[in-house]
Amino acid sequence: MLRNTESSIIFIQQLGRGLRKDPSKDFVTVIDFIGNYQNNYMIPMALSGDISRNKNNLRKDTFDTTYITGLSSVNFEAVAKERIYKSIDAAKMDDMRTLRDIFKNLKNRLNRVPYLQDYLTSGVVDPSIIATKNTSYYDFLVKLKENEGNISPEANKQLMFISRELLPGTRRHELFLLQTLLTKSQVSLAEFRQLAKNHGLLSDDETLSSVLRTLDLTFFTGGIKKSYEGAELVALQRDSQTGSVERIHRSPGFERALQNKYYVFLLNDLLATALMKADDYVREQPLSLYKKYRRRDVLRLLNWQEQMVDQNIGGYTYKNGKFVIFMRVHKGENFTGAQMAYEDAILDPQHILYYTKSPRSITSPESKILLRAAGEDEPIAGGDADERNQEWQFYMFAQKNNDEGTDFYYLGQVTPIAGTIQPHMKPTQDGTKRSVVSAEFLLADTLDSKFFAYLVGE
């Protein structure tokens, strides 16, 4: 390969010349002398046929090439993989020029203005990329002067909230409830519970309450809450004695927005697309193995009362029997400026080594939780009685490196291993030492071998 190209189609055409059959030829070896590393992400895009520009898909298509069937096979060498990963991390998939071209090409193919479902079914771009490029897909259409109607700023903020929080499809409850509220101005909590059951979803009180806190925005805090202010979609009617939710109403703002037919059309398209994307997630569990989640998504799906700022979570947080761990496998050069160098590691497909924050000792609250979960007696009495006697579940998330953004892969539930919970004194950047505690965890589900190789590097 001697010709530089920025087109995945031309790349395949060039490759195809070597794949032409001839009686004298048993195989072909392709050597790319160009090495256009800035656009190396196009190689898995071209070979897999997935042109959605979804970075997670491109990473998967690099370490798992099972999309090539028959007698052919694709094997990226370790160095090539790393260069492709770096290219994916650095690539800007949502530049306006590219998205505009994708829009025009799809419009010409459909002979009408494309909407979010069209991008998903045609596979030309992940709808989440184009719907969150501006405030909403409506704003994107306005910028291109292709909007087929007008909506109010209040209605547009509602679309922004749904696009950023619900469009990925990580939980179906909010989507089905909103679809119901399009035709009914209110539903009872009992009706909502039955709706969840009818769709094979979790219907416990904690999950339903979490859904309602999402839609009335009480889950969100800080800057995110401020950015969504006024986009509440439900208003809750509570029992005057117990304070429990009895009925779920449309919020006044949602009621006003629904008077606009174009808004209803855009909302229907958004909800239908989110439900299509939800097919990638399991119904009967709050989290799906190897899927990517933001920290606030994890807390929301595990029914936390309210969001925590990412910086306050750091590597882990715990509450009400749920202990959530976020680890970065490769710290990167930027990590050298951190106060302390942590040595968290995926030891093998079943075992993970993780260090607590500092300063922490064997008597710190999280250490006691780990010791009890591992079946070891607590070294001393004391601490919060509720935390000490609580049954804990541990959830492990991992990120290959900092260039992957704010999302973490869900590796599954883990259990701390008895005998591995140990105190340490580790050096800091200022030459002093601080106390931390390490623990090894056993994964409930053994990591897929290719995914393991991707995370740890070969």
Side-chain angles (χ1 to χ4, degrees):
M1 305 275 272
L2 296 174
R3 177 187 176 190
N4 187 13
T5 178
E6 295 188 2
S7 166
S8 60
I9 294 175
I10 293 176
F11 177 85
I12 284 293
Q13 289 174 342
Q14 293 176 184
L15 181 63
R17 295 191 180 102
L19 295 175
R20 286 181 294 195
K21 294 181 179 180
D22 187 88
S24 66
K25 186 168 66 174
D26 296 321
F27 62 90
V28 61
T29 299
V30 180
I31 302 175
D32 185 354
F33 282 100
I34 298 300
N36 187 358
Y37 302 136
Q38 195 171 12
N39 296 298
N40 269 347
Y41 65 84
M42 288 194 311
I43 298 174
M45 183 186 294
L47 295 174
S48 67
D50 183 347
I51 55 175
S52 66
R53 304 182 74 80
N54 181 300
K55 288 191 175 187
N56 293 333
N57 291 352
L58 291 176
R59 292 185 186 102
K60 181 179 184 297
D61 291 339
T62 304
F63 70 78
D64 182 2
T65 59
T66 53
Y67 48 81
I68 300 292
T69 59
L71 298 177
S72 300
S73 64
V74 174
N75 178 47
F76 294 104
E77 293 181 345
V79 173
K81 283 182 183 179
E82 289 306 316
R83 286 175 174 168
I84 290 172
Y85 294 145
K86 288 180 181 179
S87 172
I88 293 170
D89 293 340
K92 190 171 177 58
M93 298 293 183
D94 64 346
D95 63 283
M96 194 63 188
R97 178 182 174 182
T98 299
L99 296 181
R100 186 186 292 113
D101 289 343
I102 290 172
F103 172 89
K104 288 181 179 178
N105 291 335
L106 189 55
K107 182 185 178 183
N108 291 337
R109 189 195 309 175
L110 299 173
N111 200 30
R112 62 171 173 80
V113 172
Y115 288 92
L116 298 178
Q117 290 181 77
D118 298 315
Y119 295 106
L120 189 59
T121 54
S122 63
V124 294
V125 70
D126 185 334
S128 296
I129 294 175
I130 206 163
T132 56
K133 172 61 180 176
N134 303 105
T135 303
S136 67
Y137 187 57
Y138 169 75
D139 271 352
F140 179 82
L141 293 174
V142 168
K143 186 165 285 191
L144 268 58
K145 298 182 180 179
E146 294 281 2
N147 54 305
E148 299 177 303
N150 295 289
I151 64 175
S152 68
E154 179 184 46
N156 194 32
K157 184 175 279 193
Q158 294 171 15
L159 296 181
M160 175 187 73
F161 161 70
I162 297 171
S163 300
R164 293 182 180 179
E165 302 298 332
L166 308 183
L167 180 56
T170 53
R171 187 163 67 184
R172 296 169 175 83
H173 297 70
E174 289 90 343
L175 307 173
F176 285 128
L177 179 57
L178 289 177
Q179 282 189 333
T180 301
L181 290 174
L182 284 174
T183 57
K184 300 175 68 174
S185 63
Q186 57 177 286
V187 296
S188 68
L189 183 65
E191 288 174 313
F192 178 33
R193 193 185 307 278
Q194 189 59 50
L195 176 68
K197 289 180 179 179
N198 291 344
H199 288 285
L201 307 177
L202 296 173
S203 57
D204 57 282
D205 290 342
E206 281 192 355
T207 299
L208 300 189
S209 295
S210 172
V211 172
L212 298 180
R213 287 195 302 273
T214 299
L215 294 178
D216 73 2
L217 304 185
T218 54
F219 168 76
F220 299 96
T221 60
I224 292 178
K225 184 180 183 67
K226 187 174 182 181
S227 68
Y228 292 154
E229 190 174 359
E232 299 87 352
L233 295 170
V234 300
L236 306 179
Q237 178 184 329
R238 298 181 180 274
D239 182 275
S240 58
Q241 301 295 322
T242 65
S244 59
V245 175
E246 289 188 329
R247 302 195 69 81
I248 305 159
H249 297 259
R250 296 170 180 165
S251 71
F254 192 34
E255 194 76 65
R256 287 190 294 271
L258 290 175
Q259 305 309 306
N260 184 315
K261 291 184 178 179
Y262 189 50
Y263 168 83
V264 174
F265 174 81
L266 292 171
L267 177 58
N268 271 312
D269 175 55
L270 191 51
L271 295 177
T273 306
L275 283 169
M276 291 168 67
K277 288 176 70 66
D279 287 339
D280 291 336
Y281 297 86
V282 296
R283 289 174 181 264
E284 64 279 3
Q285 298 291 335
L287 299 164
S288 299
L289 278 177
Y290 309 147
K291 293 299 179 184
K292 270 195 151 186
Y293 301 91
R294 298 169 297 189
R295 287 183 177 93
R296 72 172 181 266
D297 294 329
V298 173
L299 300 191
R300 181 171 68 87
L301 297 174
L302 290 178
N303 304 329
W304 241 253
Q305 286 292 317
E306 64 179 16
Q307 170 202 355
M308 292 177 63
V309 177
D310 285 358
Q311 289 88 334
N312 293 341
I313 297 174
Y316 59 87
T317 186
Y318 53 94
K319 194 174 186 179
N320 298 330
K322 294 170 183 174
F323 200 118
V324 186
I325 301 171
F326 300 92
M327 69 175 295
R328 187 169 298 139
V329 182
H330 301 286
K331 312 302 187 204
E333 293 179 2
N334 293 336
F335 199 79
T336 56
Q339 188 178 47
M340 181 183 296
Y342 289 90
E343 299 170 285
D344 308 325
I346 301 177
L347 302 175
D348 60 48
Q350 280 193 296
H351 298 89
I352 291 175
L353 173 65
Y354 192 79
Y355 287 81
T356 64
K357 302 169 186 177
S358 67
R360 297 294 190 275
S361 71
I362 204 71
T363 61
S364 296
E366 55 263 62
S367 300
K368 293 180 180 181
I369 292 171
L370 293 171
L371 287 165
R372 186 175 188 279
E376 299 186 54
D377 292 332
E378 293 178 346
I380 64 170
D384 188 287
D386 290 336
E387 288 186 351
R388 195 169 64 247
N389 299 320
Q390 175 80 57
E391 291 295 331
W392 289 87
Q393 292 180 310
F394 298 81
Y395 302 84
M396 182 68 70
F397 296 80
Q399 190 181 65
K400 183 178 174 69
N401 56 53
N402 193 45
D403 293 329
E404 288 194 342
T406 59
D407 295 356
F408 291 77
Y409 293 100
Y410 177 49
L411 305 188
Q413 289 190 244
V414 295
T415 305
I417 301 172
T420 68
I421 303 165
Q422 303 291 337
H424 305 270
M425 295 298 295
K426 292 184 68 63
T428 63
Q429 292 292 326
D430 60 10
T432 62
K433 289 187 176 183
R434 303 189 77 177
S435 58
V436 295
V437 175
S438 68
E440 286 187 28
F441 292 86
L442 177 68
L443 279 159
D445 299 278
T446 302
L447 292 178
D448 172 83
S449 59
K450 292 180 179 178
F451 183 58
F452 168 71
Y454 163 69
L455 285 177
V456 304
E458 295 165 295

